[in-house]
Amino acid sequence: MKRTLIWVLTLAMLLGCLPVVAAASEIPAEASTYERDGVTYTVIRTGEEFIQKLTAPGNYILGADVDFGGKSFSSAVTLTKGTYVIDGNGFTVKGYSLAGDGDVSLFGVSTGGDITIRNFTFGTSDAPISISTTGTGKSVGGLFGYANATFLLENVTGYVDIKTTQCYSGGLLGNVRGKGTVTDCKVYGRIDNGSTTGARGGIIGQISANLEATFSNCVNYATIADGGYNIGGIAGRLLAGKKVIIRDCANYGLLKCLKYAGGIIGQIQPDSVFVDYTIEGCVNYGKILGGTQSGGLFGDVSFNKGVTGGSMLVENCVNYGAVKGEADMSGLAGRINSRYPVTFHNCANYGDVTGTANTAGLSSSVALGENTLTVDGFLNLGTIDSPARASGGVTGWLSDASSYVFKNCVNLGAIFGTVAGNLFSSIPTNATVSDCCAFSTQLTASNANAVNGYVIANPPANESGEPANMRYIAVEGSNWHTSLADTPMTVAEAVAYLNETYGAVWGGFVMNTANSGIVPAAPKLAGVQETAVSEGKQSIRFVGLLQDSLQYSRVGFELTIGEVSLGE
């Protein structure tokens, strides 16, 4: 059969979309000030100037790499109340460590300031900044530890090695309140904590009270592995926040803890009266080893007693990372136990999920009080495996007290569990399900009450005794679900149905003869390109596919500017 190689994105398009790495601007050696775009900046070239000049508000720009020569601080300088603009100008601040028994960070921050930091790099890949505190309950960050201010971080890159106990730690920010925007920022290195309290995040440890914040185009490459709770690729814990937007962010780092691990946010537990959260276009590639209540995007979506209203929207987000642990492990959200409505729109899980109890493609355990979980567009391709309790391609256990709307959900992954369903382990009577289908190559339910092959393990019955509110799709000549289908389909017919019904959202589907299954024609990458900057080299991974073939294949190569390497 003729194979036609089609690249998902062309070289020209990709190069046009590559993020720009700011080059250091030459400033005359004798100049003490520098003008850019009508703004006059005070020039900083040395560690001594960095400490002395930044004590007063103003506009500052680096004229060279700033090397502190091995000095150690709890903070190098405290930014006083006022307006700061600090432009790194493509240079690097390095050669120092941060240590103490209280809050620790490069900058101390006075309450009420207005701070902009841009084009700024601290640490290097060879010499990340060592950051530690002997105190407990402290705030630790690469830039700010604790801050109650208005801030803008733009095009900031940090290389960190953070070690704390019972603290709120982040690659850039520790524990922050106020109003802030963080965009086009990256963190590399390692973040460790040895206790069950506090929170750790690649970008921010904890989003605290009354924070209005937007995080966009931020990427975490740091490993966050400890014996604690609340770790996330972007944010460890969202404790409050009136309005929080996380858009087009990605995690590549390994995440490992005892409880509440998520590729984007570890735990969401707001104590604000009204919450307004939007998570959009985010993607996780990192492996999640989360103990309990962990997921590819979120560990625990919970609440405090003060929450009386608001909503949470998760849109166009994808998990590719494997998720492995104990109870309540999921491709997207380990557990949802909120008291506000939660909506997932056009999200997907490609990662395998393994747990000891309650596993699912979207969420293993859901309870929203009298509120509603709405899922409009969800695709699972990961294997969902639990030797005990509930497993489902979309959801596991669902509370009877809450309401549910499921539309346009598709499962293509294998499901294993005690009470297992291709789509849902069980469905309460107050759930509406429409245009959902499952083409799973294998479904195994060890519980005698669960019928092997059902789309729902324990479906509600209508007057005729048949499960209600479900559209059943099946395939002839396989071990897929056939007993409740209106009309069995061949594999080719199933592919045609999926392309016609769901192709506009998920792209094309093709047959995979390796396991008589169906797979998407190309991975969904959400809003984040697979680019990386490492040791001064910028690379992007090309992904292609072979069409018109029985065997689905994916081929690609990684291009590094100045050096090309080929690999699958």
Side-chain angles (χ1 to χ4, degrees), residues 436-462:
C436 296
C437 65
F439 297 96
S440 177
T441 57
Q442 187 170 1
L443 187 146
T444 301
S446 59
N447 190 317
N449 295 324
V451 181
N452 183 24
Y454 272 21
V455 175
I456 309 174
N458 294 319
N462 57 24

Side-chain angles (χ1 to χ4, degrees), residues 282-284 297 316-320 332 347-350 524-526:
C282 293
V283 58
N284 173 61
L297 299 181
N316 295 323
C317 293
V318 186
N319 173 56
Y320 291 102
L332 298 191
C347 295
N349 173 57
Y350 287 70
K524 180 180 174 64
L525 295 179

Side-chain angles (χ1 to χ4, degrees), residues 142-205:
L143 289 184
F144 306 151
Y146 175 81
N148 185 358
T150 299
F151 58 89
L152 167 63
L153 306 182
E154 183 179 15
N155 193 27
V156 175
T157 299
Y159 297 86
V160 299
D161 182 7
I162 300 177
K163 293 181 174 65
T164 61
T165 301
Q166 300 181 26
C167 291
Y168 305 96
S169 307
L172 300 183
L173 306 167
N175 184 15
V176 177
R177 59 182 65 194
K179 184 175 183 179
T181 299
V182 183
T183 184
D184 297 320
C185 294
K186 304 177 184 66
V187 171
Y188 300 83
R190 187 177 181 91
I191 301 171
D192 292 332
N193 183 76
S195 73
T196 58
T197 59
R200 272 71 55 202
I203 302 298
I204 182 171

Side-chain angles (χ1 to χ4, degrees), residues 81-99:
K81 185 176 181 179
T83 300
Y84 281 86
V85 175
I86 303 172
D87 192 330
N89 193 29
F91 290 106
T92 299
V93 180
K94 59 185 180 179
Y96 65 96
S97 61
L98 299 171

